[in-house]
Amino acid sequence: KAGVTQTPRYLIKTRGQQVTLSCSPISGHRSVSWYQQTPGQGLQFLFEYFSETQRNKGNFPGRFSGRQFSNSRSEMNVSTLELGDSALYLCASSPTGAGNQPQHFGDGTRLSIL
Amino acid sequence: AQSVTQLGSHVSVSEGALVLLRCNYSSSVPPYLFWYVQYPNQGLQLLLKYTTGATLVKGINGFEAEFKKSETSFHLTKPSAHMSDAAEYFCAVTVADRGSTLGRLYFGRGTQLTVWP
């Protein structure tokens, strides 16, 4: 069974640009969550999608948005990039997002802002 | 609110020595607890989980953890460290009730494990 796939693995952008990251969950998983990992703040929850609906959202500005498609694939968009958005962005999937289901992570997209 | 505290951002052990990584949590409701490992330039890999039942749980690569409700702890141990265990380890918690926190993982700040030959 293929794992969670995130593309691209690396991205370099400049301030003010926007970026879209993609995540393909494990086949059959309908819940997709996104996390931001930085040395200063650690791992922080961005949002979770289930059946194309955002079900849960972390404490990030509106520049961070996402969506989920009918095949459960998800995209995350960040607009008006800031230097502080440099981070590893991790996507995770689980069957239904229930708390007792472990989340399976992709290898992440490393975003660097110049 | 849920939170996780990992005592010790860096732990160093010799190969063959006991590994003990500490994790304490706070939760207003019964928690589900997880340990993940992260190798350089990779995502998080699940080591083990506690949901219900037996409080001593065994995971991959010889790791185990014990859920102690009275101490709100979920420490990770391995009897004998191997060089390949060098990585960063994260303790995480979700909650058992329905609501806005469903499916959301709260992570500790991580513990970097170094294994000396």
Side-chain angles (χ1 to χ4, degrees):
Chain A
K1 207 175 201 183
V4 177
T5 303
Q6 291 188 247
T7 56
R9 287 295 312 277
Y10 301 93
L11 265 178
I12 299 176
K13 293 287 187 179
T14 57
R15 281 182 300 173
Q17 288 186 309
Q18 74 167 16
V19 67
T20 299
L21 313 182
S22 180
C23 172
S24 293
I26 290 172
S27 177
H29 286 192
R30 295 166 62 195
S31 169
V32 174
S33 297
W34 289 87
Y35 295 84
Q36 181 196 63
Q37 185 178 24
T38 61
Q41 300 297 319
L43 281 152
Q44 294 186 289
F45 172 79
L46 282 155
F47 28 66
E48 186 235 358
Y49 285 87
F50 179 80
S51 291
E52 302 179 65
T53 300
Q54 186 182 88
R55 196 163 58 173
N56 200 354
K57 188 177 188 304
N59 188 26
F60 277 82
R63 299 186 297 107
F64 291 81
S65 63
R67 59 177 176 169
Q68 186 180 35
F69 301 96
S70 59
N71 62 358
S72 294
R73 190 177 71 85
S74 177
E75 287 183 347
M76 189 189 100
N77 184 274
V78 188
S79 62
T80 319
L81 287 165
E82 300 177 359
L83 292 177
D85 297 334
S86 293
L88 180 66
Y89 290 88
L90 293 166
C91 168
S93 75
S94 69
T96 65
N100 62 348
Q101 296 172 354
Q103 295 187 23
H104 300 266
F105 286 80
D107 283 337
T109 293
R110 184 164 297 281
L111 175 62
S112 299
I113 311 302
L114 302 180
Chain B
Q2 284 59 240
S3 69
V4 177
T5 302
Q6 291 184 239
L7 291 174
S9 59
H10 291 83
V11 170
S12 295
V13 299
S14 299
E15 193 171 21
L18 171 71
V19 175
L20 171 60
L21 305 182
R22 299 178 186 274
C23 172
N24 289 88
Y25 69 91
S26 69
S27 175
S28 56
V29 295
Y32 298 131
L33 296 156
F34 306 86
W35 275 99
Y36 286 88
V37 61
Q38 186 176 34
Y39 297 99
N41 298 317
Q42 293 187 21
L44 303 177
Q45 180 183 3
L46 179 70
L47 275 177
L48 49 78
K49 65 175 182 177
Y50 168 78
T51 54
T52 58
T55 56
L56 180 63
V57 293
K58 296 185 183 300
I60 62 171
N61 302 337
F63 285 94
E64 63 181 36
E66 186 170 12
F67 170 60
K68 292 187 176 181
K69 184 178 178 181
S70 61
E71 299 176 10
T72 61
S73 69
F74 190 57
H75 301 331
L76 182 71
T77 61
K78 182 174 180 178
S80 177
H82 192 272
M83 296 291 289
S84 60
D85 295 327
E88 191 157 23
Y89 292 79
F90 293 93
C91 181
V93 63
T94 61
V95 295
D97 64 338
R98 293 188 177 277
S100 63
T101 57
L102 186 70
R104 172 177 180 168
L105 281 167
Y106 294 84
F107 285 94
R109 294 305 299 267
T111 298
Q112 182 68 46
L113 176 66
T114 300
V115 182
W116 300 101

